[in-house]
């Protein structure tokens, strides 16, 4: 059975890009367009990996990550965060500072623009566990 | 007959009161004051039979009679009325002719009264009060000014001429600190006052120590003989002592003073007498004021040193204030630059991701010979390239001061063009887009390119606000007939609406609710364009109900109408 990847981005372009970057590894894809939908889809689809944008309407990626980690049924799903935020309050974001900021840590964290090979490698690593 | 007398920057003035005297900043007042602390129409004085009444006109800083804030009060002879920074003396009869004596009033550019009698001391009081009124609002400590002014007044051995000179100098220094924002100019004015005051002084310097390195440099200098100040140096020994101890130094006979026995400057320069007052503000040493003379010993008295200290205190307070202000401005500027860079970086990163993603999909499509993918990837690249162009246009528009490029244009046509441009996007989002033109509105003078940019922003936003909400729609309505000389374009949507917090931040640069889609520049740029037209943007919104943006543009039919 193919692994299932939930791609969350408010922009269709970015969803297409993430799918194109990962599709050669034979995953099954499901999509969400904001943080609220992301949590709903994660609960309904039980994906093996979530690739999620940070800046989204309704609920941003940080808050969605927080909700996913608070849900015992979802907390084990690895999450890759993608963002264009350079800095906030003088702190350069990486996985560690996201943890400090949100109390939760994504498995991987990439600054946009992200290279498709980097994204593919990170997904492979997380899904091989 | 009643009068108001006061001391203006041009000298003492008097005004005969009529039945109604309006006092304020505006020129149509009977008494117009050039003072930022005074309201447009600040107060009025009315005659009521034989009585006189002052009424405050709801002024911001209040009207005071003998130090009490009043809204209305009958005036008595000798009352002091404070309006802004000007204190008036109210008299119901002409003051008795000076019996050959001088009131200690002085005029700029005129020598101070040469001789006086003991009785003039009593008449000095109005000046003392003038001093107080002139120091009000300045960042100095008026108490010390007054204390020394009083000390000067009370000094039994001081003759009237000296008194007048001291008061004049104190007054000038107060004026300089209150009026001058530029530090260099302030220091120069203070030195000018000091050299004018200390007739025996040859040179005067203000030295400042660098807050970081502690290095002491000359910030201002004055000398009686041109070029003398630059020659040679000053007594470093005396300066060091004053700055280290924080106490003022008076040296009556420099050559004979043990403290300066080894000081080369004293001997080499021929300095005979000197005074140094440190510039100290809240235990923080900022520098010193230095005065010396080559002409004789005992050139300066202790009273002179006292006055020098008063000047130094005032200068120190103003300097400390200026340094603090510079610091705040610098940090605010840095914060603004940081915020701008972060916002910009975010926009550019998203666009780069779009281009990179598009190129990747395009590449893949080429490899697979999949024309649909090629097309999709190419679309992404092209679209994001367009975003980059928009971003650059917006940044340039926002950062540049530029007058609108006026041309006759039809607002109905501009709205129709915008709707046509956005129609496809609205259709894709399932949002109906309606246009209600006003056929009566003829062509008007606007900057068509700028207005088009605004409309694209507003209509695009309205479509976004309706996306995913069944039944929501966007209406663009032109209203040309208004009685206030403004044409209006209403962009109304029945979409998601905005919370008051969002509305408050709408025109903040780089604020966006649209996630990676928004640059946060659209509305600030639109606002700037409309304001450059002399128009304004009104917003009304309710969460869940929708939003209406109203663009109000002044109707200009002819080029000549553009001021």
């Amino acid at each position: 059975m193919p692994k299932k990847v939930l791609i969350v981005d408010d922009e269709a372009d970015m969803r297409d890009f993430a799918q194109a970057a990962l599709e050669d590894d034979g995953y099954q894809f499901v999509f969400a367009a904001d943080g609220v939908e992301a949590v709903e889809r994660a609960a309904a689809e039980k994906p093996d990996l979530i690739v999620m944008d940070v800046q989204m309407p309704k609920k941003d990626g940080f808050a969605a990550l927080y909700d996913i980690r608070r849900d015992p049924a979802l907390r084990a799903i690895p999450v890759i965060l993608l963002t264009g935020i350079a800095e906030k309050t003088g702190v350069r974001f990486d996985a560690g500072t996201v943890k400090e900021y949100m109390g939760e840590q994504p498995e991987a964290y990439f600054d946009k623009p992200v290279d498709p090979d980097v994204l593919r490698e990170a997904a492979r690593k997380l899904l091989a566990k | 007959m009643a009068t108001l007398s006061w001391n203006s920057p041009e000298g003492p003035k008097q005004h005969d009161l009529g039945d109604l005297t309006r006092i304020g900043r505006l020129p149509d007042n009977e008494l117009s004051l050039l003072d930022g602390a005074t309201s447009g129409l600040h107060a009025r004085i009315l005659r009521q039979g034989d009585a006189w009444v002052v009424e405050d006109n709801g002024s911001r800083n209040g009207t005071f009679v003998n130090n009490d804030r009043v809204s209305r009060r009958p005036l008595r002879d000798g009352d002091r009325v404070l309006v802004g920074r000007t204190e008036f003396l109210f008299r119901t009869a002409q003051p008795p002719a000076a019996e050959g004596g001088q009131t200690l009033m002085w005029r700029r550019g005129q020598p101070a009264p040469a001789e006086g009698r003991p009785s003039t001391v009593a008449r000095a009081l109005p000046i003392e009060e003038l001093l107080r009124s002139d120091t009000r609002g300045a960042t100095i400590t008026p108490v010390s000014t007054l204390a020394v002014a009083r000390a000067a007044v009370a000094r039994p051995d001081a003759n009237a001429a000296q008194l007048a000179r001291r008061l004049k100098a104190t007054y000038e220094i107060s004026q300089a600190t209150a009026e001058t924002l530029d530090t260099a100019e302030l220091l120069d004015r203070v030195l000018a006052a000091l050299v004018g005051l200390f007739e025996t002084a040859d040179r005067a310097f203000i030295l400042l120590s660098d807050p970081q390195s502690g290095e002491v440099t000359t910030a201002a200098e004055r000398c009686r003989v041109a070029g003398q100040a630059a020659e040679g140096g000053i007594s470093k020994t005396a300066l060091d002592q004053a700055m280290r101890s924080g106490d003022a130094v008076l040296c009556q006979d420099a050559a004979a003073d043990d403290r300066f026995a080894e000081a080369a400057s004293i001997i080499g320069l021929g300095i005979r007498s000197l005074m140094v007052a440190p510039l100290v503000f809240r235990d923080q040493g900022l520098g010193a004021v230095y005065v010396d003379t080559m002409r004789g010993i005992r050139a300066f008295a202790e009273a002179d040193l006292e006055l020098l200290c008063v000047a130094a205190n005032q200068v120190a307070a103003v300097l400390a204030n200026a340094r603090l202000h510079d610091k705040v401005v610098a940090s605010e500027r840095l914060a603004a630059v940081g915020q701008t860079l972060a916002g910009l970086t975010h926009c550019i990163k998203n666009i780069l991701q779009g281009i990179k993603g598009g190129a990747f999909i395009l590449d893949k499509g080429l490899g697979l010979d999949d024309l649909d993918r090629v097309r999709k990837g190419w679309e992404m690249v092209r679209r994001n390239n367009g975003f980059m162009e928009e971003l650059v246009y917006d940044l340039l528009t926002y950062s540049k001061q530029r007058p609108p490029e006026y041309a006759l244009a039809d607002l109905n046509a501009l709205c129709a063009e915008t709707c046509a441009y956005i129609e496809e996007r609205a259709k894709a989002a399932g949002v109906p887009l309606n246009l209600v033109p006003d056929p009566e509105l003829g062509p008007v003078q606007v900057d068509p390119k700028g207005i088009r940019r605004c409309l694209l922003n507003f209509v695009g936003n309205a479509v976004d606000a309706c996306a995913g909400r069944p039944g929501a729609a966007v209406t663009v309505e032109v209203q040309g007939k208004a009685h206030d000389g403004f044409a209006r374009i209403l962009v109304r949507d029945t979409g998601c609406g905005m919370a008051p917090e969002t509305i408050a931040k709408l025109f903040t640069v780089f604020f966006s609710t649209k996630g990676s889609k928004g640059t946060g520049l659209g509305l600030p740029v639109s606002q700037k364009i409309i304001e450059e037209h002399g128009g304004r943007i009104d917003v009304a919104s309710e969460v869940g109900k929708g939003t209406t943006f109203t663009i109000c543009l002044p109707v200009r039919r002819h080029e000549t109408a553009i001021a």
Side-chain angles (χ1 to χ4, degrees):
Chain A
M1 194 163 123
K3 301 262 186 177
K4 201 188 277 182
V5 179
L6 170 59
I7 296 175
V8 190
D9 203 301
D10 56 321
E11 263 195 273
D13 279 357
M14 271 305 293
R15 295 196 296 267
D16 290 347
F17 162 72
Q19 181 181 8
L22 301 178
E23 67 189 353
D24 292 348
D25 288 348
Y27 309 128
Q28 185 195 338
F29 295 98
V30 285
F31 301 95
D34 59 61
V36 174
E37 208 187 320
V39 181
E40 287 169 6
R41 296 288 279 168
E45 301 280 352
K46 301 273 158 36
D48 301 285
L49 172 71
I50 299 174
V51 178
M52 184 157 61
D53 184 28
V54 171
Q55 287 222 303
M56 293 183 295
K58 292 187 191 169
K59 181 178 275 183
D60 70 16
F62 290 147
L65 172 70
Y66 185 85
D67 287 353
I68 288 164
R69 291 290 196 258
R70 286 289 170 285
D71 187 334
L74 307 178
R75 64 181 315 145
I77 305 173
V79 174
I80 298 175
L81 280 187
L82 303 178
T83 183
I85 301 177
E87 277 174 36
K88 206 163 193 170
T89 59
V91 181
R92 195 181 165 79
F93 274 112
D94 55 29
T97 47
V98 172
K99 184 173 166 57
E100 264 174 48
Y101 196 67
M102 288 302 302
E104 291 302 337
Q105 189 164 359
E107 274 65 25
Y109 184 95
F110 297 116
D111 225 9
K112 287 179 186 176
V114 62
D115 197 273
D117 296 335
V118 171
L119 187 59
R120 187 166 46 235
E121 268 318 299
R124 273 183 195 162
K125 238 189 227 166
L126 288 171
L127 287 171
K129 278 180 189 167
Chain B
M1 177 72 186
T3 58
L4 285 182
S5 49
W6 73 102
N7 213 17
S8 80
E10 297 91 45
K13 284 197 173 170
Q14 187 169 305
H15 180 85
D16 298 334
L17 292 169
D19 289 341
L20 168 68
T21 304
R22 291 167 302 170
I23 307 174
R25 215 179 50 244
L26 294 175
D28 56 343
N29 291 303
E30 279 76 26
L31 249 175
S32 173
L33 301 171
L34 276 175
D35 171 11
T38 304
S39 299
L41 169 55
H42 195 111
R44 52 178 89 78
I45 295 178
L46 309 146
R47 186 219 295 266
Q48 299 192 327
D50 286 340
W52 297 87
V53 174
V54 63
E55 280 179 357
D56 182 69
N57 188 49
S59 68
R60 197 150 50 92
N61 292 324
T63 301
F64 295 78
V65 175
N66 301 334
N67 298 334
D68 295 334
R69 187 167 183 160
V70 298
S71 54
R72 182 186 156 87
R73 176 168 296 186
L75 288 174
R76 285 169 312 181
D77 185 35
D79 274 351
R80 288 174 288 113
V81 181
L82 179 70
V83 172
R85 294 197 184 89
T86 307
E87 192 163 50
F88 297 98
L89 180 66
F90 172 79
R91 306 303 304 256
T92 47
Q94 286 283 32
E99 310 151 7
Q102 303 79 13
T103 55
L104 284 184
M105 295 278 189
W106 52 271
R107 285 167 206 272
R108 237 165 242 222
Q110 282 186 6
E115 195 48 68
R117 299 175 191 178
S119 66
T120 51
V121 172
R123 292 221 191 97
L125 273 171
I127 285 205
E128 185 191 330
E129 279 159 9
L130 281 171
L131 283 172
R132 181 169 52 195
S133 77
D134 278 307
T135 54
R136 199 181 291 271
T139 46
I140 52 169
T141 45
V143 179
S144 61
T145 315
L146 269 187
V148 166
R150 281 206 185 96
V153 168
R155 195 175 299 284
D157 60 340
N159 65 37
Q162 261 183 355
L163 269 176
R165 267 209 320 278
R166 284 192 185 131
L167 286 168
K168 176 174 181 270
T170 318
Y171 178 76
E172 277 178 353
I173 290 163
S174 297
Q175 282 286 93
T177 51
E179 287 170 4
T180 318
L181 286 174
D182 179 61
T183 312
E185 189 194 331
L186 164 75
L187 299 183
D188 193 54
R189 278 179 67 173
V190 170
L191 283 190
L194 290 177
V195 172
L197 169 67
F198 303 126
E199 284 177 334
T200 48
D202 282 324
R203 311 183 301 168
F205 298 82
I206 290 177
L207 302 114
L208 297 181
S209 59
D210 186 90
Q212 263 92 49
S213 67
E215 191 192 346
V216 178
T217 50
T218 304
E221 54 185 57
R222 278 256 171 176
C223 60
R224 204 166 295 282
V225 181
Q228 194 179 16
E231 272 170 29
I234 59 172
S235 168
K236 234 184 134 316
T237 318
L239 183 69
D240 284 349
Q241 191 185 327
M243 286 181 63
R244 212 175 29 243
S245 67
D247 292 329
V249 172
L250 171 64
C251 175
Q252 305 270 32
D253 182 354
D257 197 318
D258 288 346
R259 291 175 293 180
F260 311 119
E262 320 241 316
S265 55
I266 302 276
I267 303 149
L269 295 169
I271 296 169
R272 305 296 296 272
S273 302
L274 64 87
M275 302 190 281
V276 190
L279 293 168
V280 181
F281 185 75
R282 293 197 181 139
D283 295 336
Q284 191 194 351
L286 305 171
V289 187
Y290 173 103
V291 180
D292 69 11
T293 182
M294 284 82 175
R295 282 188 281 176
I297 60 168
R298 304 204 175 280
F300 307 117
E302 263 176 41
D304 294 331
L305 188 68
E306 247 175 59
L307 207 48
L308 190 70
C309 288
V310 170
N313 279 343
Q314 294 194 5
V315 170
V318 173
L319 282 178
N321 205 25
R323 282 189 184 175
L324 207 62
H325 177 256
D326 288 351
K327 241 189 214 168
V328 170
V329 167
S331 69
E332 270 176 3
R333 197 170 294 149
L334 259 184
V337 168
Q339 204 179 7
T340 309
L341 281 181
L344 254 185
T345 313
H346 173 237
C347 289
I348 292 171
K349 278 178 164 182
N350 274 314
I351 293 169
L352 280 180
Q353 179 71 69
I355 292 173
K356 191 164 189 155
F360 174 67
I361 291 173
L362 198 154
D363 245 6
K364 241 183 142 176
L366 286 175
L368 296 169
D369 243 351
D370 181 343
L371 204 62
D372 276 351
R373 272 184 191 246
V374 172
R375 208 169 280 133
K376 192 172 178 180
W378 173 236
E379 258 313 304
M380 270 174 80
V381 173
R382 217 177 53 173
R383 194 166 42 242
N384 280 283
N385 189 54
F387 289 156
M388 187 63 104
E389 274 174 22
E390 267 176 40
L391 176 66
V392 171
Y393 176 87
D394 281 354
L395 276 176
L396 285 178
T397 307
Y398 194 76
S399 59
K400 258 197 311 199
Q401 284 298 335
R402 41 150 230 154
E405 289 168 20
Y406 283 105
L408 266 186
D410 180 357
L411 291 183
N412 291 314
L414 281 175
C415 288
E417 264 176 48
T418 308
C419 288
Y421 187 82
I422 291 189
E423 198 167 22
E424 199 181 333
R425 185 167 137 203
K427 242 183 213 155
V431 180
L433 187 54
N434 312 305
L435 173 64
V436 185
D438 180 352
E440 309 240 318
L441 175 70
V444 289
Q445 291 279 351
V446 291
D447 180 345
K449 205 174 164 193
I451 298 299
R452 202 175 286 130
R453 179 89 199 104
C454 295
L455 286 171
L456 276 177
N457 277 326
F458 286 114
V459 181
N461 284 349
V463 169
D464 288 342
C466 293
R469 296 178 72 89
V474 175
T475 308
V476 181
E477 186 180 342
V478 183
Q479 293 180 350
K481 257 195 280 174
H483 302 293
D484 57 359
F486 282 84
R488 287 174 171 74
I489 301 171
L490 283 72
V491 181
R492 198 168 16 202
D493 71 66
T494 49
C496 56
M498 294 179 288
E501 308 88 79
T502 307
I503 296 175
K505 284 189 266 184
L506 270 185
F507 297 103
T508 308
V509 190
F510 298 122
F511 170 77
S512 175
T513 57
K514 295 202 209 167
S516 49
K517 262 190 286 186
T519 60
L521 275 171
L523 287 183
V525 164
S526 301
Q527 188 185 39
K528 184 161 182 279
I529 292 170
I530 298 302
E531 282 179 354
E532 281 166 351
H533 279 77
R536 63 169 198 278
I537 298 169
D538 295 334
V539 195
S541 186
E542 200 177 327
V543 173
K545 296 234 169 119
T547 303
T548 302
F549 280 95
T550 307
I551 305 171
C552 305
L553 283 169
V555 176
R556 293 171 170 139
R557 307 272 181 198
H558 312 288
E559 257 180 85
T560 48
I562 302 161

